[in-house]
Amino acid sequence: TITSCNEESTDPSPYNIILIMTDDQGYGDLSSHGNPHLKTPHIDALASESIRLTNYHAATTCSPTRAGLMTGVHCNRTGTWHTIIGRSFLSTRFPTIAEHLSEAGFETGIFGKWHLGDNYPHRPQDRGFTKTVIHGGGGVGQTPDYWNNDYFDDVYQFNGEWKQTEGFCTDVWFDEALKFVDQKSAETEPYFCYISTNAPHGPHHAPQASIDPYLNNYEIVSPNFNGQIANIDDNVGKLMAQLKSSGQLENTIVIFTTDNGTASGALLDNDGQVTKGYNYKMRGKKVSEYEGGHKVPMFIRFPDKLNIKPQAFNQLTTHTDVMPTVLDILNIPLQYEDIDGRSIKPLLLEGTQEDLEERIVIVDTQRDKEIKKWKRSCIMQDQWRLINQNELYDLSTDPSQLNNVIEDHPDLAKTLTDAYETWWTKVEQDSKLENPIVIGHPDHKEVLLTCHDWLSESNSPWHQGHIRSGLINNGFWKLQVQEPGNYKIRLHRWPPSLDKRMNEDTPEGNPVSGGNPYKVGVGVPITAASIAFHRADNSNTIFKRIAESVDGKYFEFEVSLIQGDTELTTEMITEDEEVRGAYFVEIISIGA
């Protein structure tokens, strides 16, 4: 039971939780937030029935927000400060909200985007989810996803197994979520349902009927982006109607939020100010340390019987508050106390919370192999924003962050700077801990690595379009050998599921969104390959074994590995001696 403003509930059953999080939809991408070009009536209706947090902040990109939301811990501490290059894995040191709820007797389901690792022990089914319906990687069509997925009639993973679906991706996520909640409701089992859409992330595919209302309007940056949001809105309406008709809304808390600022709702000038579209008068958008990069919607609808009045609160809150707040509401103790978020249950239920008044929250944008101090940082307190140590803005009088007032408030700037210094000491220490992919686990004897997760100083080939074009780049994988023994290592140019020869023509499919900015090497035959394993202590290090292809489909090696951490580097070599890493690598445990 939970306590409302007016009375204590006498219902002994746990409350269900439905958490909806969309991808790349900013604070301004809702008609209830003043967007004149976009209609979101169903999300607006949900907002009108909810507690609305109007000073709520996510991280500035996809995986970092998901890491913080799942664990209550800042992304830099979890090792999840990028979306690719091996920095999108969620550390197993921090229990997730799904693990907490699963152990408390909840059924837990995820539908859509995970983006915290595609291999054991980082997959959602390894992190507390009992039902998983997801795409691979960070978006439909990315390298770890099923080949040639394009948002329509795709193949997705159902509890780890690829399965053909019908329809548009967002419709699939909501339809499968509705099946899940209806089944668990019929079985009278409490549930946590996480609907995490890949839309409106690019490429901006959507049903044509959703796009049509936004065509032929110069003020709209992307009709397809708006169409993706309109489709999400329709699905939110469908979900809420079914919850109401089935009686589940009487015992279900519904949360709606997004993962970062808008990606395509506005065009900005070099200073981050809007030149076209709509961004709620905010400076910056996705990736930015300015307000438009991380201020996002947060609506929490409680069952009517709790008599919690829908209203807006402007206290400083953040995505790392979600897990501790939900667990506090459900009276489930935290398994790990050293988190960065805090429960805002008093604010939600009583309308005030003293420890939020002077609170300081920090967000930054790293997106490199290693984190860097003060990189694209924002230190927040109430209406104040210290940007990159040398800019200070008062949002109460300057919502577009036009006037740097740091010289007028040196004491406040020092307070925020000192808070950052203390925070950084802890963050830097945690960030040095690696999150390897495990090979040789008794239940996971076959592992498929993809170049999406190369550790690299530059961008990895994160999209299938990069694979088609033959992007020339390389990196290495951080691995942990759980069982010592012999392993087969197979290097592939194309996904093993395609069963293609490495020098066949490029398969058909959608190119990478935004084009390919990298050097390409298409049509030059690959004639040889090599692998190298390296351990930090130089024991069991295997230097550059070279092999020829097996039936023209892959290069195969057999190696003996001891238990512990290691790094794997691969090379695929063309006849004119160009070298790129293997895009796909199978690792098969074959015993002692």
Side-chain angles (χ1 to χ4, degrees):
T1 62
I2 65 177
T3 302
S4 74
C5 301
N6 302 315
E7 62 182 359
E8 184 174 333
S9 170
T10 58
D11 187 346
S13 62
Y15 289 89
N16 305 312
I17 306 289
I18 296 178
L19 171 58
I20 305 166
M21 184 164 71
T22 68
D23 190 4
D24 283 3
Q25 180 180 5
Y27 194 87
D29 296 324
L30 292 169
S31 49
S32 59
H33 288 170
N35 193 310
H37 314 303
L38 177 64
K39 302 300 180 186
T40 53
H42 300 296
I43 300 174
D44 296 349
L46 174 62
S48 71
E49 300 170 355
S50 299
I51 297 290
R52 302 176 300 282
L53 303 180
T54 57
N55 194 6
Y56 172 87
H57 300 264
T60 64
T61 56
C62 311
S63 298
T65 291
R66 285 161 173 74
L69 185 141
M70 283 288 114
T71 64
V73 178
H74 191 281
C75 60
N76 293 356
R77 295 181 59 202
T78 68
T80 322
W81 58 79
H82 201 350
T83 57
I84 53 174
I85 65 168
R87 299 308 190 197
S88 62
F89 302 156
L90 177 61
S91 173
T92 57
R93 294 181 299 126
F94 305 110
T96 69
I97 185 173
E99 289 172 309
H100 280 90
L101 294 176
S102 180
E103 292 177 19
F106 281 68
E107 290 296 310
T108 53
I110 176 175
F111 305 90
K113 174 169 176 168
W114 172 241
H115 204 183
L116 294 172
D118 294 276
N119 291 102
Y120 178 84
H122 306 296
R123 306 167 304 169
Q125 57 265 44
D126 306 321
R127 304 308 308 272
F129 285 97
T130 55
K131 174 74 173 181
T132 65
V133 181
I134 61 171
H135 59 74
V140 171
Q142 292 192 9
T143 303
D145 198 27
Y146 197 84
W147 195 258
N148 275 344
N149 273 357
D150 65 357
Y151 288 54
F152 294 92
D153 300 331
D154 288 338
V155 178
Y156 300 127
Q157 281 193 27
F158 285 67
N159 293 342
E161 300 295 329
W162 293 106
K163 178 180 175 182
Q164 180 69 53
T165 66
E166 294 183 2
F168 181 60
C169 55
T170 303
D171 299 334
V172 171
W173 313 138
F174 275 88
D175 288 348
E176 292 296 329
L178 281 170
K179 292 177 187 176
F180 172 78
V181 300
D182 285 347
Q183 178 186 353
K184 300 311 169 188
S185 179
E187 296 170 352
T188 65
E189 294 179 297
Y191 58 77
F192 170 58
C193 177
Y194 176 38
I195 306 172
S196 177
T197 68
N198 56 294
H201 193 288
H204 299 306
H205 304 314
Q208 192 61 46
S210 300
I211 299 170
D212 284 344
Y214 303 105
L215 296 174
N216 304 315
N217 184 339
Y218 173 78
E219 297 300 324
I220 293 175
V221 173
S222 170
N224 287 39
F225 178 78
N226 282 19
Q228 287 178 302
I229 295 172
N231 173 265
I232 292 169
D233 186 75
D234 289 341
N235 275 288
V236 170
K238 179 180 176 181
L239 170 72
M240 297 303 294
Q242 187 156 330
L243 291 174
K244 184 175 181 179
S245 65
S246 66
Q248 294 180 68
L249 207 53
E250 299 172 5
N251 208 40
T252 300
I253 299 169
V254 180
I255 303 170
F256 176 89
T257 189
T258 74
D259 67 347
N260 46 246
T262 191
S264 301
L267 295 180
L268 310 181
D269 63 19
N270 291 336
D271 292 324
Q273 303 296 340
V274 174
T275 60
K276 182 178 179 179
Y278 181 78
N279 199 29
Y280 199 73
K281 297 184 179 180
M282 295 185 297
R283 181 176 181 176
K285 57 181 183 178
K286 177 182 179 179
V287 182
S288 174
E289 62 270 44
Y290 295 98
E291 200 75 353
H294 45 82
K295 177 175 177 174
V296 297
M298 169 54 84
F299 311 139
I300 307 170
R301 186 196 187 281
F302 289 97
D304 292 341
K305 63 185 176 184
L306 293 176
N307 296 318
I308 298 173
K309 179 183 177 182
Q311 57 187 302
F313 294 123
N314 198 45
Q315 286 87 339
L316 182 60
T317 53
T318 179
H319 63 297
T320 58
D321 298 336
V322 171
M323 185 189 79
T325 301
V326 168
L327 297 182
D328 194 10
I329 288 172
L330 298 173
N331 296 316
I332 297 171
L334 283 167
Q335 299 173 13
Y336 184 86
E337 297 289 343
D338 184 19
I339 65 173
D340 300 299
R342 62 186 64 175
S343 172
I344 59 168
K345 176 180 173 181
L347 175 67
L348 300 178
L349 304 185
E350 300 167 16
T352 185
Q353 186 165 334
E354 186 174 338
D355 67 349
L356 297 180
E357 293 179 6
E358 300 298 322
R359 182 185 196 183
I360 294 174
V361 170
I362 298 170
V363 299
D364 61 9
T365 302
Q366 293 289 338
R367 296 176 72 80
D368 283 314
K369 185 168 172 283
E370 310 297 340
I371 63 173
K372 297 178 176 63
K373 193 174 183 180
W374 287 107
K375 184 179 179 186
R376 303 196 71 167
S377 57
C378 175
I379 301 90
M380 298 180 275
Q381 186 179 53
D382 196 13
Q383 82 271 26
W384 297 98
R385 303 291 183 265
L386 179 65
I387 304 291
N388 300 328
Q389 201 177 6
N390 55 17
E391 300 173 38
L392 182 68
Y393 298 96
D394 180 356
L395 298 187
S396 66
T397 59
D398 181 23
S400 298
Q401 295 175 281
L402 294 167
N403 303 306
N404 181 4
V405 295
I406 193 166
E407 293 184 0
D408 300 330
H409 302 277
D411 292 342
L412 175 60
K414 184 179 186 308
T415 296
L416 297 178
T417 298
D418 290 347
Y420 180 92
E421 293 285 354
T422 300
W423 171 82
W424 182 261
T425 299
K426 186 174 188 177
V427 162
E428 187 177 33
Q429 181 179 357
D430 278 344
S431 74
K432 296 182 185 300
L433 300 175
E434 296 290 351
N435 303 311
I437 295 170
V438 171
I439 63 173
H441 186 282
D443 297 329
H444 307 285
K445 290 186 176 293
E446 297 186 9
V447 172
L448 178 65
L449 308 177
T450 76
C451 54
H452 179 280
D453 298 327
W454 282 341
L455 269 162
S456 172
E457 297 293 344
S458 58
N459 281 348
S460 59
W462 53 266
H463 194 281
Q464 292 172 13
H466 297 143
I467 311 304
R468 295 186 185 94
S469 67
L471 183 150
I472 295 176
N473 201 351
N474 208 348
F476 61 92
W477 291 273
K478 286 274 188 180
L479 305 176
Q480 184 180 89
V481 182
Q482 183 154 334
E483 283 193 350
N486 297 318
Y487 291 81
K488 285 185 177 180
I489 315 294
R490 293 175 178 169
L491 277 54
H492 294 262
R493 167 70 171 81
W494 303 110
S497 60
L498 290 183
D499 194 32
K500 290 183 66 66
R501 294 178 181 274
M502 68 187 70
N503 293 318
E504 286 186 48
D505 291 338
T506 304
E508 294 298 324
N510 290 319
V512 60
S513 175
N516 182 3
Y518 307 100
K519 179 182 177 185
V520 298
V522 180
V524 180
I526 299 169
T527 57
S530 72
I531 62 169
F533 283 90
H534 178 72
R535 291 172 59 94
D537 60 5
N538 288 324
S539 64
N540 199 226
T541 292
I542 298 170
F543 291 106
K544 217 157 191 181
R545 291 193 179 177
I546 298 179
E548 295 182 353
S549 67
V550 176
D551 194 28
K553 293 182 178 180
Y554 54 83
F555 299 95
E556 183 172 276
F557 305 79
E558 189 168 322
V559 298
S560 179
L561 300 174
I562 65 175
Q563 191 175 47
D565 293 341
T566 188
E567 296 174 359
L568 170 62
T569 304
T570 65
E571 293 181 342
M572 300 186 81
I573 307 160
T574 66
E575 64 182 12
D576 57 5
E577 299 185 350
E578 282 187 326
V579 177
R580 65 167 68 81
Y583 299 137
F584 302 90
V585 175
E586 290 181 284
I587 301 181
I588 305 168
S589 175
I590 55 176

